[in-house]
PDB file of all heavy atoms in Angstrom:
ATOM      1  N   ARG A1405      13.343  68.266 -64.471  1.00 95.00           N
ATOM      2  CA  ARG A1405      14.055  68.384 -65.748  1.00 95.00           C
ATOM      3  C   ARG A1405      13.084  68.607 -66.898  1.00 95.00           C
ATOM      4  O   ARG A1405      13.360  69.392 -67.816  1.00 95.00           O
ATOM      5  CB  ARG A1405      14.889  67.126 -66.000  1.00 95.00           C
ATOM      6  CG  ARG A1405      16.080  66.959 -65.065  1.00 95.00           C
ATOM      7  CD  ARG A1405      16.878  65.706 -65.416  1.00 95.00           C
ATOM      8  NE  ARG A1405      17.994  65.512 -64.496  1.00 95.00           N
ATOM      9  CZ  ARG A1405      18.817  64.491 -64.539  1.00 95.00           C
ATOM     10  NH1 ARG A1405      18.666  63.554 -65.475  1.00 95.00           N
ATOM     11  NH2 ARG A1405      19.804  64.385 -63.665  1.00 95.00           N
ATOM     12  N   VAL A1406      11.956  67.924 -66.856  1.00 97.00           N
ATOM     13  CA  VAL A1406      10.963  68.071 -67.921  1.00 97.00           C
ATOM     14  C   VAL A1406      10.349  69.467 -67.877  1.00 97.00           C
ATOM     15  O   VAL A1406      10.169  70.111 -68.921  1.00 97.00           O
ATOM     16  CB  VAL A1406       9.875  66.986 -67.795  1.00 97.00           C
ATOM     17  CG1 VAL A1406       8.763  67.217 -68.815  1.00 97.00           C
ATOM     18  CG2 VAL A1406      10.482  65.602 -67.993  1.00 97.00           C
ATOM     19  N   LEU A1407      10.037  69.947 -66.673  1.00 97.00           N
ATOM     20  CA  LEU A1407       9.483  71.298 -66.558  1.00 97.00           C
ATOM     21  C   LEU A1407      10.485  72.334 -67.068  1.00 97.00           C
ATOM     22  O   LEU A1407      10.120  73.250 -67.820  1.00 97.00           O
ATOM     23  CB  LEU A1407       9.109  71.593 -65.108  1.00 97.00           C
ATOM     24  CG  LEU A1407       7.861  70.884 -64.576  1.00 97.00           C
ATOM     25  CD1 LEU A1407       7.750  71.052 -63.072  1.00 97.00           C
ATOM     26  CD2 LEU A1407       6.612  71.424 -65.254  1.00 97.00           C
ATOM     27  N   ALA A1408      11.742  72.194 -66.667  1.00 96.00           N
ATOM     28  CA  ALA A1408      12.769  73.136 -67.130  1.00 96.00           C
ATOM     29  C   ALA A1408      12.893  73.102 -68.645  1.00 96.00           C
ATOM     30  O   ALA A1408      12.986  74.148 -69.299  1.00 96.00           O
ATOM     31  CB  ALA A1408      14.107  72.807 -66.474  1.00 96.00           C
ATOM     32  N   SER A1409      12.873  71.909 -69.215  1.00 96.00           N
ATOM     33  CA  SER A1409      12.991  71.768 -70.662  1.00 96.00           C
ATOM     34  C   SER A1409      11.809  72.415 -71.378  1.00 96.00           C
ATOM     35  O   SER A1409      11.975  73.102 -72.396  1.00 96.00           O
ATOM     36  CB  SER A1409      13.093  70.290 -71.028  1.00 96.00           C
ATOM     37  OG  SER A1409      13.272  70.118 -72.414  1.00 96.00           O
ATOM     38  N   ALA A1410      10.605  72.205 -70.841  1.00 97.00           N
ATOM     39  CA  ALA A1410       9.411  72.783 -71.464  1.00 97.00           C
ATOM     40  C   ALA A1410       9.466  74.303 -71.474  1.00 97.00           C
ATOM     41  O   ALA A1410       9.110  74.950 -72.466  1.00 97.00           O
ATOM     42  CB  ALA A1410       8.161  72.298 -70.731  1.00 97.00           C
ATOM     43  N   PHE A1411       9.937  74.891 -70.364  1.00 97.00           N
ATOM     44  CA  PHE A1411      10.059  76.349 -70.318  1.00 97.00           C
ATOM     45  C   PHE A1411      11.188  76.838 -71.223  1.00 97.00           C
ATOM     46  O   PHE A1411      11.053  77.867 -71.901  1.00 97.00           O
ATOM     47  CB  PHE A1411      10.283  76.815 -68.880  1.00 97.00           C
ATOM     48  CG  PHE A1411       9.049  76.756 -68.023  1.00 97.00           C
ATOM     49  CD1 PHE A1411       8.986  75.922 -66.911  1.00 97.00           C
ATOM     50  CD2 PHE A1411       7.944  77.533 -68.325  1.00 97.00           C
ATOM     51  CE1 PHE A1411       7.851  75.855 -66.126  1.00 97.00           C
ATOM     52  CE2 PHE A1411       6.799  77.484 -67.542  1.00 97.00           C
ATOM     53  CZ  PHE A1411       6.747  76.643 -66.442  1.00 97.00           C
ATOM     54  N   ASN A1412      12.288  76.115 -71.263  1.00 95.00           N
ATOM     55  CA  ASN A1412      13.411  76.528 -72.099  1.00 95.00           C
ATOM     56  C   ASN A1412      13.075  76.462 -73.584  1.00 95.00           C
ATOM     57  O   ASN A1412      13.553  77.280 -74.381  1.00 95.00           O
ATOM     58  CB  ASN A1412      14.643  75.679 -71.803  1.00 95.00           C
ATOM     59  CG  ASN A1412      15.264  76.010 -70.456  1.00 95.00           C
ATOM     60  OD1 ASN A1412      15.119  77.118 -69.960  1.00 95.00           O
ATOM     61  ND2 ASN A1412      15.941  75.041 -69.859  1.00 95.00           N
ATOM     62  N   PHE A1413      12.250  75.491 -73.969  1.00 96.00           N
ATOM     63  CA  PHE A1413      11.822  75.380 -75.362  1.00 96.00           C
ATOM     64  C   PHE A1413      10.624  76.282 -75.670  1.00 96.00           C
ATOM     65  O   PHE A1413      10.146  76.312 -76.803  1.00 96.00           O
ATOM     66  CB  PHE A1413      11.467  73.927 -75.706  1.00 96.00           C
ATOM     67  CG  PHE A1413      12.652  73.075 -76.075  1.00 96.00           C
ATOM     68  CD1 PHE A1413      13.238  72.242 -75.134  1.00 96.00           C
ATOM     69  CD2 PHE A1413      13.180  73.106 -77.356  1.00 96.00           C
ATOM     70  CE1 PHE A1413      14.326  71.439 -75.472  1.00 96.00           C
ATOM     71  CE2 PHE A1413      14.267  72.308 -77.697  1.00 96.00           C
ATOM     72  CZ  PHE A1413      14.849  71.472 -76.755  1.00 96.00           C
ATOM     73  N   ALA A1414      10.127  76.973 -74.646  1.00 96.00           N
ATOM     74  CA  ALA A1414       9.021  77.941 -74.805  1.00 96.00           C
ATOM     75  C   ALA A1414       7.759  77.309 -75.378  1.00 96.00           C
ATOM     76  O   ALA A1414       7.110  77.868 -76.270  1.00 96.00           O
ATOM     77  CB  ALA A1414       9.468  79.114 -75.670  1.00 96.00           C
ATOM     78  N   VAL A1415       7.385  76.135 -74.856  1.00 98.00           N
ATOM     79  CA  VAL A1415       6.170  75.481 -75.335  1.00 98.00           C
ATOM     80  C   VAL A1415       5.000  75.619 -74.353  1.00 98.00           C
ATOM     81  O   VAL A1415       3.878  75.217 -74.670  1.00 98.00           O
ATOM     82  CB  VAL A1415       6.408  73.981 -75.625  1.00 98.00           C
ATOM     83  CG1 VAL A1415       7.478  73.807 -76.690  1.00 98.00           C
ATOM     84  CG2 VAL A1415       6.765  73.210 -74.358  1.00 98.00           C
ATOM     85  N   VAL A1416       5.238  76.183 -73.181  1.00 98.00           N
ATOM     86  CA  VAL A1416       4.198  76.253 -72.146  1.00 98.00           C
ATOM     87  C   VAL A1416       3.301  77.473 -72.366  1.00 98.00           C
ATOM     88  O   VAL A1416       3.778  78.587 -72.573  1.00 98.00           O
ATOM     89  CB  VAL A1416       4.824  76.314 -70.743  1.00 98.00           C
ATOM     90  CG1 VAL A1416       3.731  76.426 -69.677  1.00 98.00           C
ATOM     91  CG2 VAL A1416       5.698  75.090 -70.490  1.00 98.00           C
ATOM     92  N   ASP A1417       1.982  77.245 -72.307  1.00 98.00           N
ATOM     93  CA  ASP A1417       0.998  78.322 -72.446  1.00 98.00           C
ATOM     94  C   ASP A1417       0.436  78.784 -71.104  1.00 98.00           C
ATOM     95  O   ASP A1417       0.076  79.951 -70.952  1.00 98.00           O
ATOM     96  CB  ASP A1417      -0.173  77.859 -73.331  1.00 98.00           C
ATOM     97  CG  ASP A1417       0.265  77.495 -74.734  1.00 98.00           C
ATOM     98  OD1 ASP A1417       0.693  78.400 -75.467  1.00 98.00           O
ATOM     99  OD2 ASP A1417       0.179  76.303 -75.091  1.00 98.00           O
ATOM    100  N   LYS A1418       0.352  77.867 -70.137  1.00 98.00           N
ATOM    101  CA  LYS A1418      -0.347  78.164 -68.889  1.00 98.00           C
ATOM    102  C   LYS A1418       0.299  77.385 -67.749  1.00 98.00           C
ATOM    103  O   LYS A1418       0.812  76.278 -67.973  1.00 98.00           O
ATOM    104  CB  LYS A1418      -1.830  77.770 -69.025  1.00 98.00           C
ATOM    105  CG  LYS A1418      -2.749  78.236 -67.920  1.00 98.00           C
ATOM    106  CD  LYS A1418      -4.207  77.890 -68.271  1.00 98.00           C
ATOM    107  CE  LYS A1418      -5.182  78.452 -67.257  1.00 98.00           C
ATOM    108  NZ  LYS A1418      -6.593  78.157 -67.633  1.00 98.00           N
ATOM    109  N   VAL A1419       0.271  77.947 -66.552  1.00 98.00           N
ATOM    110  CA  VAL A1419       0.863  77.259 -65.403  1.00 98.00           C
ATOM    111  C   VAL A1419      -0.178  77.066 -64.299  1.00 98.00           C
ATOM    112  O   VAL A1419      -1.063  77.891 -64.106  1.00 98.00           O
ATOM    113  CB  VAL A1419       2.083  78.011 -64.836  1.00 98.00           C
ATOM    114  CG1 VAL A1419       3.193  78.074 -65.861  1.00 98.00           C
ATOM    115  CG2 VAL A1419       1.704  79.407 -64.363  1.00 98.00           C
ATOM    116  N   PHE A1420      -0.022  75.953 -63.594  1.00 98.00           N
ATOM    117  CA  PHE A1420      -0.763  75.664 -62.371  1.00 98.00           C
ATOM    118  C   PHE A1420       0.279  75.286 -61.320  1.00 98.00           C
ATOM    119  O   PHE A1420       0.729  74.147 -61.264  1.00 98.00           O
ATOM    120  CB  PHE A1420      -1.747  74.512 -62.580  1.00 98.00           C
ATOM    121  CG  PHE A1420      -2.908  74.821 -63.483  1.00 98.00           C
ATOM    122  CD1 PHE A1420      -2.837  74.528 -64.835  1.00 98.00           C
ATOM    123  CD2 PHE A1420      -4.064  75.396 -62.979  1.00 98.00           C
ATOM    124  CE1 PHE A1420      -3.904  74.798 -65.676  1.00 98.00           C
ATOM    125  CE2 PHE A1420      -5.137  75.670 -63.812  1.00 98.00           C
ATOM    126  CZ  PHE A1420      -5.059  75.380 -65.164  1.00 98.00           C
ATOM    127  N   PHE A1421       0.678  76.248 -60.512  1.00 98.00           N
ATOM    128  CA  PHE A1421       1.708  76.009 -59.499  1.00 98.00           C
ATOM    129  C   PHE A1421       1.060  75.997 -58.117  1.00 98.00           C
ATOM    130  O   PHE A1421       0.528  77.016 -57.666  1.00 98.00           O
ATOM    131  CB  PHE A1421       2.789  77.093 -59.563  1.00 98.00           C
ATOM    132  CG  PHE A1421       3.864  76.826 -60.586  1.00 98.00           C
ATOM    133  CD1 PHE A1421       3.608  76.060 -61.710  1.00 98.00           C
ATOM    134  CD2 PHE A1421       5.146  77.344 -60.431  1.00 98.00           C
ATOM    135  CE1 PHE A1421       4.589  75.807 -62.659  1.00 98.00           C
ATOM    136  CE2 PHE A1421       6.138  77.096 -61.374  1.00 98.00           C
ATOM    137  CZ  PHE A1421       5.859  76.327 -62.490  1.00 98.00           C
ATOM    138  N   PHE A1422       1.104  74.828 -57.474  1.00 98.00           N
ATOM    139  CA  PHE A1422       0.587  74.680 -56.110  1.00 98.00           C
ATOM    140  C   PHE A1422       1.720  74.911 -55.106  1.00 98.00           C
ATOM    141  O   PHE A1422       2.841  74.440 -55.313  1.00 98.00           O
ATOM    142  CB  PHE A1422       0.040  73.265 -55.891  1.00 98.00           C
ATOM    143  CG  PHE A1422      -1.233  72.967 -56.619  1.00 98.00           C
ATOM    144  CD1 PHE A1422      -1.209  72.443 -57.902  1.00 98.00           C
ATOM    145  CD2 PHE A1422      -2.465  73.181 -56.014  1.00 98.00           C
ATOM    146  CE1 PHE A1422      -2.380  72.149 -58.579  1.00 98.00           C
ATOM    147  CE2 PHE A1422      -3.638  72.885 -56.681  1.00 98.00           C
ATOM    148  CZ  PHE A1422      -3.603  72.374 -57.967  1.00 98.00           C
ATOM    149  N   TYR A1423       1.387  75.594 -54.013  1.00 98.00           N
ATOM    150  CA  TYR A1423       2.349  75.785 -52.931  1.00 98.00           C
ATOM    151  C   TYR A1423       1.712  75.330 -51.613  1.00 98.00           C
ATOM    152  O   TYR A1423       0.601  75.750 -51.273  1.00 98.00           O
ATOM    153  CB  TYR A1423       2.789  77.244 -52.837  1.00 98.00           C
ATOM    154  CG  TYR A1423       3.697  77.638 -53.978  1.00 98.00           C
ATOM    155  CD1 TYR A1423       3.181  78.216 -55.129  1.00 98.00           C
ATOM    156  CD2 TYR A1423       5.067  77.389 -53.910  1.00 98.00           C
ATOM    157  CE1 TYR A1423       4.010  78.552 -56.193  1.00 98.00           C
ATOM    158  CE2 TYR A1423       5.902  77.730 -54.972  1.00 98.00           C
ATOM    159  CZ  TYR A1423       5.366  78.304 -56.104  1.00 98.00           C
ATOM    160  OH  TYR A1423       6.192  78.630 -57.155  1.00 98.00           O
ATOM    161  N   ALA A1424       2.426  74.444 -50.920  1.00 98.00           N
ATOM    162  CA  ALA A1424       1.957  73.934 -49.638  1.00 98.00           C
ATOM    163  C   ALA A1424       2.651  74.691 -48.502  1.00 98.00           C
ATOM    164  O   ALA A1424       3.802  75.107 -48.651  1.00 98.00           O
ATOM    165  CB  ALA A1424       2.257  72.441 -49.525  1.00 98.00           C
ATOM    166  N   PRO A1425       1.973  74.869 -47.366  1.00 98.00           N
ATOM    167  CA  PRO A1425       2.581  75.598 -46.242  1.00 98.00           C
ATOM    168  C   PRO A1425       3.612  74.743 -45.500  1.00 98.00           C
ATOM    169  O   PRO A1425       3.452  74.385 -44.336  1.00 98.00           O
ATOM    170  CB  PRO A1425       1.374  75.932 -45.369  1.00 98.00           C
ATOM    171  CG  PRO A1425       0.406  74.827 -45.634  1.00 98.00           C
ATOM    172  CD  PRO A1425       0.583  74.464 -47.079  1.00 98.00           C
ATOM    173  N   LYS A1426       4.669  74.400 -46.240  1.00 97.00           N
ATOM    174  CA  LYS A1426       5.747  73.577 -45.698  1.00 97.00           C
ATOM    175  C   LYS A1426       7.077  74.162 -46.148  1.00 97.00           C
ATOM    176  O   LYS A1426       7.170  74.726 -47.249  1.00 97.00           O
ATOM    177  CB  LYS A1426       5.651  72.129 -46.208  1.00 97.00           C
ATOM    178  CG  LYS A1426       4.349  71.414 -45.892  1.00 97.00           C
ATOM    179  CD  LYS A1426       4.298  70.065 -46.592  1.00 97.00           C
ATOM    180  CE  LYS A1426       2.976  69.368 -46.324  1.00 97.00           C
ATOM    181  NZ  LYS A1426       2.882  68.074 -47.047  1.00 97.00           N
ATOM    182  N   ILE A1427       8.077  74.024 -45.327  1.00 97.00           N
ATOM    183  CA  ILE A1427       9.428  74.449 -45.690  1.00 97.00           C
ATOM    184  C   ILE A1427      10.353  73.257 -45.542  1.00 97.00           C
ATOM    185  O   ILE A1427      10.492  72.697 -44.452  1.00 97.00           O
ATOM    186  CB  ILE A1427       9.896  75.615 -44.810  1.00 97.00           C
ATOM    187  CG1 ILE A1427       8.990  76.839 -45.026  1.00 97.00           C
ATOM    188  CG2 ILE A1427      11.349  75.967 -45.105  1.00 97.00           C
ATOM    189  CD1 ILE A1427       9.246  77.968 -44.068  1.00 97.00           C
ATOM    190  N   LEU A1428      10.951  72.848 -46.651  1.00 94.00           N
ATOM    191  CA  LEU A1428      11.817  71.674 -46.625  1.00 94.00           C
ATOM    192  C   LEU A1428      13.136  71.989 -45.923  1.00 94.00           C
ATOM    193  O   LEU A1428      13.667  71.172 -45.167  1.00 94.00           O
ATOM    194  CB  LEU A1428      12.070  71.193 -48.060  1.00 94.00           C
ATOM    195  CG  LEU A1428      12.652  69.795 -48.225  1.00 94.00           C
ATOM    196  CD1 LEU A1428      11.722  68.752 -47.623  1.00 94.00           C
ATOM    197  CD2 LEU A1428      12.873  69.501 -49.701  1.00 94.00           C
ATOM    198  N   GLY A1429      13.657  73.196 -46.166  1.00 93.00           N
ATOM    199  CA  GLY A1429      14.938  73.569 -45.563  1.00 93.00           C
ATOM    200  C   GLY A1429      16.110  72.981 -46.331  1.00 93.00           C
ATOM    201  O   GLY A1429      15.985  71.969 -47.021  1.00 93.00           O
ATOM    202  N   GLY A1430      17.247  73.611 -46.228  1.00 90.00           N
ATOM    203  CA  GLY A1430      18.426  73.109 -46.941  1.00 90.00           C
ATOM    204  C   GLY A1430      18.369  73.440 -48.410  1.00 90.00           C
ATOM    205  O   GLY A1430      17.409  74.033 -48.915  1.00 90.00           O
ATOM    206  N   ASP A1431      19.398  73.021 -49.130  1.00 91.00           N
ATOM    207  CA  ASP A1431      19.460  73.291 -50.561  1.00 91.00           C
ATOM    208  C   ASP A1431      19.611  72.016 -51.379  1.00 91.00           C
ATOM    209  O   ASP A1431      20.019  72.054 -52.543  1.00 91.00           O
ATOM    210  CB  ASP A1431      20.624  74.244 -50.871  1.00 91.00           C
ATOM    211  CG  ASP A1431      21.985  73.666 -50.466  1.00 91.00           C
ATOM    212  OD1 ASP A1431      22.017  72.538 -49.938  1.00 91.00           O
ATOM    213  OD2 ASP A1431      23.004  74.346 -50.688  1.00 91.00           O
ATOM    214  N   ASP A1432      19.266  70.879 -50.770  1.00 93.00           N
ATOM    215  CA  ASP A1432      19.471  69.616 -51.469  1.00 93.00           C
ATOM    216  C   ASP A1432      18.180  68.937 -51.895  1.00 93.00           C
ATOM    217  O   ASP A1432      18.201  67.808 -52.385  1.00 93.00           O
ATOM    218  CB  ASP A1432      20.301  68.657 -50.614  1.00 93.00           C
ATOM    219  CG  ASP A1432      19.706  68.449 -49.225  1.00 93.00           C
ATOM    220  OD1 ASP A1432      18.690  69.114 -48.907  1.00 93.00           O
ATOM    221  OD2 ASP A1432      20.250  67.627 -48.459  1.00 93.00           O
ATOM    222  N   GLY A1433      17.027  69.599 -51.703  1.00 94.00           N
ATOM    223  CA  GLY A1433      15.779  69.046 -52.215  1.00 94.00           C
ATOM    224  C   GLY A1433      15.695  69.232 -53.727  1.00 94.00           C
ATOM    225  O   GLY A1433      16.523  69.901 -54.348  1.00 94.00           O
ATOM    226  N   VAL A1434      14.675  68.643 -54.336  1.00 95.00           N
ATOM    227  CA  VAL A1434      14.501  68.735 -55.792  1.00 95.00           C
ATOM    228  C   VAL A1434      13.758  70.029 -56.115  1.00 95.00           C
ATOM    229  O   VAL A1434      12.638  70.242 -55.642  1.00 95.00           O
ATOM    230  CB  VAL A1434      13.711  67.527 -56.331  1.00 95.00           C
ATOM    231  CG1 VAL A1434      13.561  67.634 -57.847  1.00 95.00           C
ATOM    232  CG2 VAL A1434      14.402  66.221 -55.946  1.00 95.00           C
ATOM    233  N   PRO A1435      14.347  70.918 -56.936  1.00 95.00           N
ATOM    234  CA  PRO A1435      13.690  72.185 -57.266  1.00 95.00           C
ATOM    235  C   PRO A1435      12.590  71.998 -58.305  1.00 95.00           C
ATOM    236  O   PRO A1435      12.493  70.943 -58.944  1.00 95.00           O
ATOM    237  CB  PRO A1435      14.833  73.026 -57.829  1.00 95.00           C
ATOM    238  CG  PRO A1435      15.744  72.022 -58.461  1.00 95.00           C
ATOM    239  CD  PRO A1435      15.668  70.803 -57.571  1.00 95.00           C
ATOM    240  N   ILE A1436      11.778  73.020 -58.478  1.00 96.00           N
ATOM    241  CA  ILE A1436      10.717  72.960 -59.491  1.00 96.00           C
ATOM    242  C   ILE A1436      11.320  72.747 -60.869  1.00 96.00           C
ATOM    243  O   ILE A1436      10.858  71.914 -61.650  1.00 96.00           O
ATOM    244  CB  ILE A1436       9.865  74.247 -59.460  1.00 96.00           C
ATOM    245  CG1 ILE A1436       9.110  74.350 -58.132  1.00 96.00           C
ATOM    246  CG2 ILE A1436       8.887  74.273 -60.628  1.00 96.00           C
ATOM    247  CD1 ILE A1436       8.391  75.674 -57.926  1.00 96.00           C
ATOM    248  N   CYS A1437      12.340  73.516 -61.193  1.00 95.00           N
ATOM    249  CA  CYS A1437      13.054  73.373 -62.460  1.00 95.00           C
ATOM    250  C   CYS A1437      14.534  73.151 -62.165  1.00 95.00           C
ATOM    251  O   CYS A1437      15.122  73.871 -61.360  1.00 95.00           O
ATOM    252  CB  CYS A1437      12.904  74.633 -63.316  1.00 95.00           C
ATOM    253  SG  CYS A1437      11.230  74.939 -63.898  1.00 95.00           S
ATOM    254  N   SER A1438      15.126  72.160 -62.798  1.00 93.00           N
ATOM    255  CA  SER A1438      16.546  71.884 -62.577  1.00 93.00           C
ATOM    256  C   SER A1438      17.364  72.348 -63.771  1.00 93.00           C
ATOM    257  O   SER A1438      16.860  72.476 -64.887  1.00 93.00           O
ATOM    258  CB  SER A1438      16.766  70.393 -62.342  1.00 93.00           C
ATOM    259  OG  SER A1438      16.400  69.647 -63.487  1.00 93.00           O
ATOM    260  N   GLY A1439      18.646  72.604 -63.527  1.00 91.00           N
ATOM    261  CA  GLY A1439      19.518  73.069 -64.587  1.00 91.00           C
ATOM    262  C   GLY A1439      19.662  74.578 -64.556  1.00 91.00           C
ATOM    263  O   GLY A1439      19.059  75.258 -63.731  1.00 91.00           O
ATOM    264  N   PRO A1440      20.468  75.125 -65.444  1.00 91.00           N
ATOM    265  CA  PRO A1440      20.707  76.574 -65.455  1.00 91.00           C
ATOM    266  C   PRO A1440      19.456  77.347 -65.843  1.00 91.00           C
ATOM    267  O   PRO A1440      18.696  76.925 -66.719  1.00 91.00           O
ATOM    268  CB  PRO A1440      21.820  76.744 -66.501  1.00 91.00           C
ATOM    269  CG  PRO A1440      21.711  75.538 -67.378  1.00 91.00           C
ATOM    270  CD  PRO A1440      21.230  74.426 -66.496  1.00 91.00           C
ATOM    271  N   GLY A1441      19.256  78.474 -65.180  1.00 91.00           N
ATOM    272  CA  GLY A1441      18.133  79.338 -65.494  1.00 91.00           C
ATOM    273  C   GLY A1441      18.617  80.683 -65.996  1.00 91.00           C
ATOM    274  O   GLY A1441      19.749  80.829 -66.468  1.00 91.00           O
ATOM    275  N   ALA A1442      17.752  81.695 -65.878  1.00 92.00           N
ATOM    276  CA  ALA A1442      18.094  83.037 -66.344  1.00 92.00           C
ATOM    277  C   ALA A1442      19.208  83.632 -65.492  1.00 92.00           C
ATOM    278  O   ALA A1442      19.299  83.376 -64.291  1.00 92.00           O
ATOM    279  CB  ALA A1442      16.863  83.929 -66.287  1.00 92.00           C
ATOM    280  N   GLU A1443      20.065  84.438 -66.111  1.00 93.00           N
ATOM    281  CA  GLU A1443      21.135  85.099 -65.383  1.00 93.00           C
ATOM    282  C   GLU A1443      20.657  86.376 -64.706  1.00 93.00           C
ATOM    283  O   GLU A1443      21.170  86.774 -63.662  1.00 93.00           O
ATOM    284  CB  GLU A1443      22.290  85.432 -66.336  1.00 93.00           C
ATOM    285  CG  GLU A1443      23.011  84.200 -66.868  1.00 93.00           C
ATOM    286  CD  GLU A1443      24.206  84.561 -67.728  1.00 93.00           C
ATOM    287  OE1 GLU A1443      24.456  85.779 -67.911  1.00 93.00           O
ATOM    288  OE2 GLU A1443      24.883  83.644 -68.218  1.00 93.00           O
ATOM    289  N   LEU A1444      19.666  87.048 -65.301  1.00 95.00           N
ATOM    290  CA  LEU A1444      19.163  88.320 -64.790  1.00 95.00           C
ATOM    291  C   LEU A1444      17.660  88.228 -64.553  1.00 95.00           C
ATOM    292  O   LEU A1444      16.944  87.485 -65.253  1.00 95.00           O
ATOM    293  CB  LEU A1444      19.461  89.448 -65.774  1.00 95.00           C
ATOM    294  CG  LEU A1444      20.935  89.669 -66.133  1.00 95.00           C
ATOM    295  CD1 LEU A1444      21.054  90.688 -67.249  1.00 95.00           C
ATOM    296  CD2 LEU A1444      21.727  90.110 -64.901  1.00 95.00           C
ATOM    297  N   MET A1445      17.149  88.995 -63.580  1.00 95.00           N
ATOM    298  CA  MET A1445      15.728  88.972 -63.280  1.00 95.00           C
ATOM    299  C   MET A1445      14.881  89.435 -64.456  1.00 95.00           C
ATOM    300  O   MET A1445      13.763  88.948 -64.661  1.00 95.00           O
ATOM    301  CB  MET A1445      15.434  89.846 -62.055  1.00 95.00           C
ATOM    302  CG  MET A1445      15.938  89.263 -60.741  1.00 95.00           C
ATOM    303  SD  MET A1445      15.296  87.596 -60.383  1.00 95.00           S
ATOM    304  CE  MET A1445      13.556  87.914 -60.182  1.00 95.00           C
ATOM    305  N   ASN A1446      15.422  90.366 -65.253  1.00 94.00           N
ATOM    306  CA  ASN A1446      14.628  90.832 -66.394  1.00 94.00           C
ATOM    307  C   ASN A1446      14.597  89.826 -67.542  1.00 94.00           C
ATOM    308  O   ASN A1446      13.992  90.075 -68.583  1.00 94.00           O
ATOM    309  CB  ASN A1446      15.119  92.198 -66.888  1.00 94.00           C
ATOM    310  CG  ASN A1446      16.556  92.173 -67.394  1.00 94.00           C
ATOM    311  OD1 ASN A1446      17.147  91.112 -67.576  1.00 94.00           O
ATOM    312  ND2 ASN A1446      17.118  93.362 -67.610  1.00 94.00           N
ATOM    313  N   GLU A1447      15.272  88.686 -67.357  1.00 94.00           N
ATOM    314  CA  GLU A1447      15.232  87.611 -68.343  1.00 94.00           C
ATOM    315  C   GLU A1447      14.271  86.492 -67.927  1.00 94.00           C
ATOM    316  O   GLU A1447      14.130  85.493 -68.636  1.00 94.00           O
ATOM    317  CB  GLU A1447      16.633  87.024 -68.538  1.00 94.00           C
ATOM    318  CG  GLU A1447      17.643  88.002 -69.124  1.00 94.00           C
ATOM    319  CD  GLU A1447      19.049  87.439 -69.172  1.00 94.00           C
ATOM    320  OE1 GLU A1447      19.295  86.368 -68.549  1.00 94.00           O
ATOM    321  OE2 GLU A1447      19.907  88.057 -69.813  1.00 94.00           O
ATOM    322  N   CYS A1448      13.604  86.677 -66.797  1.00 95.00           N
ATOM    323  CA  CYS A1448      12.673  85.654 -66.311  1.00 95.00           C
ATOM    324  C   CYS A1448      11.479  85.501 -67.256  1.00 95.00           C
ATOM    325  O   CYS A1448      11.118  86.423 -67.982  1.00 95.00           O
ATOM    326  CB  CYS A1448      12.160  86.016 -64.920  1.00 95.00           C
ATOM    327  SG  CYS A1448      13.381  85.871 -63.611  1.00 95.00           S
ATOM    328  N   ILE A1449      10.867  84.349 -67.208  1.00 96.00           N
ATOM    329  CA  ILE A1449       9.648  84.093 -67.973  1.00 96.00           C
ATOM    330  C   ILE A1449       8.489  84.769 -67.242  1.00 96.00           C
ATOM    331  O   ILE A1449       8.226  84.486 -66.074  1.00 96.00           O
ATOM    332  CB  ILE A1449       9.392  82.586 -68.107  1.00 96.00           C
ATOM    333  CG1 ILE A1449      10.546  81.926 -68.868  1.00 96.00           C
ATOM    334  CG2 ILE A1449       8.071  82.316 -68.812  1.00 96.00           C
ATOM    335  CD1 ILE A1449      10.565  80.412 -68.761  1.00 96.00           C
TER     336      ILE A1449
END
């Protein structure tokens, strides 16, 4: 929620995103950003 809020308020200058070679599976894990995001790909950050 905090990450989503920071991006939505446009206060982030730089990102450090780590990815581990693991697959959680399913759709009930906690996402990187929660809540509504962009509707179109050209609206992505």
Side-chain angles (χ1 to χ4, degrees):
R1405 291 182 182 178
V1406 174
L1407 287 169
S1409 183
F1411 285 117
N1412 288 334
F1413 277 98
V1415 300
V1416 178
D1417 299 294
K1418 191 174 185 178
V1419 297
F1420 291 93
F1421 276 27
F1422 289 90
Y1423 288 93
K1426 302 173 182 178
I1427 297 172
L1428 195 60
D1431 61 359
D1432 54 356
V1434 181
I1436 295 172
C1437 293
S1438 63
E1443 293 184 359
L1444 302 172
M1445 289 304 295
N1446 62 11
E1447 296 174 348
C1448 289
I1449 298 166

